[in-house]
Amino acid sequence: MLVTMAEILNRARKENYGVTAPNVQSEDTVRAVIKVAEELNAPMIIDVNAFIHPDLPWFINMIRELAALSTVPIAINLDHGRSYEDVMLGIRSGCTSVMVDRSSLSYPENVEQTKEVVKMARALGISVEAELGHVGMGDNYVVDGVSNLTEPEEAAKFIKETGVDCLAVAIGTAHGRYKGTPHIDFDRLDKIVEACGEVPLVLHGGSGTGDENLAKAVRSGIQKVNLATELIVAGKEELEKFIEDPNFDKWKLMPTFIKGYSDRLAHYVKLFGQNDKAWTK
Ligand SMILES: [Zn+2]
């Protein structure tokens, strides 16, 4: 069942659980994500990067068809729409949600460009995620882990001014692999949650942040956790063990990668309490 991201996240906000947003790269990973969601009876958000596929409209359409046939609620979100063109392509291709990432711009520019998308997306029944503060890169964690963190009052103001459906916040996570130990500013998160009222919050850079940190973030009021690197690394590790055997069965190569990817995703679905939260229309 195809739904918007707002439908999924507003329920998660009310019932206080988190939802995984795995990044997909191929049909195999899309099918894996949907299978995990169905097996655990969980609503799911599929995150798609604009650069990930040479034919984005085809790729999104394929996801739409699989999602529509699924028994569980599934949203398709364009991750990190960095230009107006990216966002338009995501919408035209059939995403049910888009992220407008203007977190590298000034506050007024971020507000202005996010608002522009919200107005149009709202008319089409598409949800919008934006980012305030900037979630940087794990390989530059010494700097990115402590700079451009989200200011609680500014976050509340941003939500009011833009009308976004959910907001990605910078509280000490980073994209990719961490160089150093992630430190999450939970005091800041508490203040953001209090300031932002009922609007669901998003955490980018979930990979490598650690079960304890992520479970606490979800308990504290994060509703969406983006996962990319860690799922791919889990697939790669499973694959490495498999190909150590020189007589490996070639037909099991991709299923082996998918097993690693899926097992790690299932782990997070259970950690965030997203299992058994699926609903039917
Ligand atoms: Zn991200």
Side-chain angles (χ1 to χ4, degrees):
M1 172 168 80
L2 198 55
V3 299
T4 65
M5 196 159 82
E7 282 178 81
I8 291 182
L9 293 181
N10 288 334
R11 281 174 184 255
R13 176 77 179 86
K14 275 193 197 87
E15 295 173 36
N16 214 17
Y17 57 87
V19 179
T20 51
N23 244 272
V24 293
Q25 301 85 40
S26 61
E27 181 186 342
D28 304 82
T29 47
V30 172
R31 287 187 184 273
V33 167
I34 295 178
K35 189 158 174 256
V36 167
E38 288 178 346
E39 281 173 359
L40 295 173
N41 196 31
M44 185 65 82
I45 297 163
I46 295 182
D47 258 1
V48 185
N49 263 309
F51 61 80
I52 210 71
H53 199 277
D55 188 349
L56 202 70
W58 179 88
F59 189 51
I60 302 282
N61 192 52
M62 186 268 298
I63 304 174
R64 278 184 71 96
E65 283 187 19
L66 293 176
L69 290 171
S70 175
T71 53
V72 296
I74 294 172
I76 308 170
N77 177 49
L78 181 86
D79 195 23
H80 290 288
R82 289 215 160 86
S83 65
Y84 192 74
E85 286 72 20
D86 272 359
V87 170
M88 288 304 109
L89 182 62
I91 291 176
R92 185 162 63 84
S93 302
C95 287
T96 62
S97 168
V98 287
M99 180 198 184
V100 193
D101 181 1
R102 301 294 181 272
S103 60
S104 301
L105 300 180
S106 68
Y107 179 86
E109 287 172 307
N110 191 347
V111 168
E112 192 196 325
Q113 295 191 21
T114 300
K115 252 169 92 170
E116 184 181 35
V117 172
V118 169
K119 186 179 178 195
M120 185 258 313
R122 183 122 314 144
L124 297 170
I126 289 167
S127 346
V128 179
E129 171 185 340
E131 179 170 324
L132 187 68
H134 180 69
V135 179
M137 299 304 295
D139 56 13
N140 192 36
Y141 192 63
V142 188
V143 179
D144 287 6
V146 290
S147 47
N148 290 317
L149 299 183
T150 307
E151 297 299 337
E153 292 312 318
E154 200 173 62
K157 191 166 160 244
F158 183 87
I159 288 168
K160 216 175 264 169
E161 289 178 357
T162 59
V164 284
D165 297 285
C166 59
L167 184 68
V169 293
I171 53 170
T173 56
H175 292 105
R177 296 184 207 220
Y178 288 97
K179 231 181 215 172
T181 309
H183 172 76
I184 310 303
D185 190 341
F186 285 106
D187 289 342
R188 184 180 295 270
L189 176 58
D190 287 344
K191 287 179 190 138
I192 296 171
V193 171
E194 209 187 309
C196 293
E198 295 302 305
V199 174
L201 300 174
V202 180
L203 197 61
H204 282 241
S207 294
T209 304
D211 282 4
E212 208 174 303
N213 277 334
L214 290 181
K216 190 172 172 189
V218 166
R219 279 199 308 276
S220 306
I222 290 286
Q223 277 76 46
K224 174 184 181 236
V225 180
N226 285 20
L227 295 162
T229 308
E230 200 178 319
L231 304 180
I232 296 163
V233 170
K236 172 183 165 276
E237 284 170 357
E238 200 69 31
L239 205 52
E240 278 168 352
K241 279 186 270 165
F242 178 74
I243 57 175
E244 268 173 24
D245 176 359
N247 299 313
F248 68 80
D249 177 354
K250 62 181 182 294
W251 302 114
K252 292 199 175 134
L253 207 65
M254 189 49 87
T256 301
F257 174 87
I258 290 300
K259 185 184 181 306
Y261 179 101
S262 303
D263 287 352
R264 189 60 58 92
L265 176 61
H267 164 80
Y268 282 119
V269 167
K270 290 180 233 167
L271 184 72
F272 302 156
Q274 166 190 357
N275 47 316
D276 293 320
K277 297 294 194 303
W279 67 91
T280 47
K281 280 234 158 104

